Amino acid sequence: MSRVETASQSSTPKSEEPCALERLSPEILLAIVTKLDLPSLHRLLHASPATFRLFDGYAVEITESILETDPMTRQIPETIHVVALIRSSELPYDNLDDFIKRYISASLDLDWGYSYIPPTTFPKTTSPAILRGILASAHQISCLMLTCLRHYLDRVMAISPERPVDKAFTYNLISRGDVFFGPAFRRRPESESYAIEDAGPPTWVEEQRVTRGFWRVQLFHDLKTAAAHSRLGWPKEDVERLQAMEPIDLYNEHYRGFHFEFEEIQTVVDYTRELEAGNAASLPPVYEVKRSWPSPKPGTNGITYIDGSELRIAESMRMQIWENLSTSDASPLRYFSFKPFRRLGFAFWVEEKLSALGFMDYPSRPERWGELLLRMAEHAQRGGASPGREDTRKVL
């Protein structure tokens, strides 16, 4: 008898008529489950005894097949593999610095010159229980991704925008004749309201950015838990150092600069803290969440391919503009923190969405993009409530 046949033997009482799925041959069932995504497989395991038994016999093969065929940016399956290694007590790094330099920094595409060979497969000895846990985490993160995007989309759509009455206004003009206009941050042009367009539902790239952020936070919590239970084999001082970290510390330990993927991580952490009233010691539990928008497919905008196949999310123009804004002498937001913009989900949005909202109308003149956000930023810096049409303004 084959291993597939053994794994799928049923003990369903004759008095109970099994559903059609339970009557499928193991080979057909195996072909079906490998075409699912991880959250869907998690739900099926709870609904189908035959699938549960089949997974016990083919856990590694099924999970690997899904990770290879389900389109996602490369860092997500890499992170999933590392989480599985942590939970299996098989993490192949000697200490915390070794892990940060050889995995974390390289995963963030920070070129440190270290050897980077990311885990691309599960060890064949990975237990079905570990991989069922991976499926459970994938389901949890999928639900959190949907609620997180809805949270930030509702918040950014609640802004009340304005723009200068003088269409020729620019911060680049410091003086005219004998008139000195003063520094950019002190200038306030006369403004008028304008209507924003429907930004549309979240895109595949936006979902990937949120999912990637949540998996990286999940890795951080798993790493701390494993360290606390002495499952990493790391020096005591590394364990103590890790226990004192926040998620962003792990990813920003050796860089200490602005990086758009850091902001993805911090944005999902901020969201979990709002859900847990300030406690972000783990990802919050969630119930089943149904999509309120169609499941998006990968497009071409914001995506690059490595060797013709590997999906990568390119750095968004919005973050490049922000870097200019925070350093330019002609910007009203020089030295500003990104935090006010993080509150509106700016680490996630694609250019098309920001353009619909009026944030990308002048991509060649980023100082106007800064003025558009100035009043909203001032409001957030004062500790105001979530932006709303009555209490927040933005100027373009």
Side-chain angles (χ1 to χ4, degrees):
M1 183 177 293
S2 70
R3 186 155 66 98
V4 174
E5 293 171 336
T6 303
S8 66
Q9 288 180 340
S10 173
S11 59
T12 305
K14 292 182 179 180
S15 59
E16 297 181 13
E17 183 66 21
C19 71
L21 191 67
E22 301 300 296
R23 297 196 299 269
L24 292 176
S25 70
E27 291 78 11
I28 293 177
L29 187 56
L30 186 62
I32 290 172
V33 299
T34 53
K35 298 298 188 293
L36 302 175
D37 57 29
L38 297 182
S40 298
L41 179 56
H42 169 76
R43 292 189 289 270
L44 187 58
L45 288 184
H46 285 269
S48 168
T51 305
F52 189 94
R53 289 189 294 273
L54 186 70
F55 189 80
D56 263 1
Y58 286 89
V60 171
E61 293 93 328
I62 291 171
T63 310
E64 290 287 17
S65 178
I66 292 173
L67 290 178
E68 289 173 3
T69 58
D70 188 21
M72 60 184 78
T73 186
R74 70 167 177 84
Q75 293 107 329
I76 295 176
E78 284 179 10
T79 305
I80 291 173
H81 284 114
V82 173
V83 169
L85 289 172
I86 294 171
R87 294 179 183 180
S88 302
S89 301
E90 296 185 33
L91 194 67
Y93 301 97
D94 296 332
N95 52 56
L96 180 56
D97 283 330
D98 184 44
F99 180 65
I100 291 173
K101 293 174 182 177
R102 292 176 51 209
Y103 175 71
I104 295 293
S105 296
S107 176
L108 288 161
D109 294 323
L110 305 177
D111 185 12
W112 292 97
Y114 299 111
S115 174
Y116 176 52
I117 305 177
T120 56
T121 59
F122 300 112
K124 293 297 183 182
T125 56
T126 306
S127 72
I130 292 292
L131 294 178
R132 283 195 296 270
I134 291 294
L135 299 184
S137 293
H139 174 260
Q140 179 187 23
I141 287 172
S142 175
C143 293
L144 285 170
M145 177 270 292
L146 294 173
T147 59
C148 179
L149 277 172
R150 172 51 59 194
H151 170 80
Y152 285 111
L153 187 59
D154 287 346
R155 180 175 282 181
V156 77
M157 288 298 293
I159 59 178
S160 183
E162 295 184 356
R163 59 189 169 198
V165 174
D166 180 3
K167 305 304 181 185
F169 174 81
T170 174
Y171 284 102
N172 281 334
L173 187 61
I174 298 176
S175 63
R176 181 184 288 126
D178 295 332
V179 179
F180 176 66
F181 296 129
F185 70 89
R186 294 188 182 278
R187 302 179 64 188
R188 298 292 186 275
E190 182 183 357
S191 61
E192 61 184 5
S193 299
Y194 73 96
I196 59 176
E197 301 175 20
D198 182 358
T203 67
W204 181 86
V205 167
E206 290 165 347
E207 290 195 3
Q208 290 289 292
R209 285 174 178 152
V210 179
T211 301
R212 177 170 63 185
F214 273 119
W215 270 113
R216 283 171 164 166
V217 174
Q218 180 64 61
L219 182 151
F220 170 78
H221 292 312
D222 273 294
L223 196 68
K224 287 186 74 170
T225 299
H229 291 84
S230 303
R231 298 204 308 266
L232 298 179
W234 288 357
K236 180 181 178 181
E237 55 270 23
D238 280 6
V239 173
E240 292 174 350
R241 189 169 129 220
L242 180 61
Q243 295 305 319
M245 285 183 173
E246 294 291 332
I248 196 61
D249 297 330
L250 178 66
Y251 294 92
N252 204 12
E253 176 74 3
H254 291 292
Y255 186 69
R256 299 300 178 191
F258 182 81
H259 191 284
F260 71 106
E261 291 182 29
F262 296 160
E263 290 301 330
E264 292 174 2
I265 297 166
Q266 192 58 57
T267 305
V268 300
V269 169
D270 289 349
Y271 175 65
T272 60
R273 284 178 175 156
E274 289 193 45
L275 291 181
E276 296 292 291
N279 176 27
S282 62
L283 291 184
V286 293
Y287 299 99
E288 190 70 30
V289 177
K290 293 184 178 180
R291 283 184 172 274
S292 58
W293 59 84
S295 180
K297 302 298 182 184
T300 56
N301 291 339
I303 303 172
T304 57
Y305 291 85
I306 306 300
D307 298 328
S309 60
E310 183 179 297
L311 282 173
R312 288 272 294 277
I313 298 176
E315 181 175 358
S316 170
M317 179 64 71
R318 81 218 183 282
M319 304 306 265
Q320 296 173 26
I321 290 176
W322 164 253
E323 290 186 86
N324 291 336
L325 287 170
S326 61
T327 57
S328 172
D329 290 336
S331 168
L333 299 181
R334 191 181 187 191
Y335 306 129
F336 254 66
S337 163
F338 190 77
K339 183 177 180 180
F341 317 109
R342 191 190 307 140
R343 288 171 53 82
L344 298 182
F346 268 56
F348 304 143
W349 308 135
V350 295
E351 281 79 0
E352 293 81 1
K353 187 168 273 84
L354 292 177
S355 180
L357 294 167
F359 287 77
M360 297 289 288
D361 286 358
Y362 298 93
S364 63
R365 303 174 71 179
E367 71 279 358
R368 288 198 175 184
W369 191 80
E371 178 63 12
L372 175 143
L373 294 173
L374 183 57
R375 295 187 183 181
M376 178 177 58
E378 290 172 340
H379 171 83
Q381 294 281 46
R382 291 195 302 267
S386 298
R389 296 192 182 277
E390 298 303 321
D391 60 6
T392 304
R393 297 288 178 183
K394 66 186 180 74
V395 181
L396 175 59

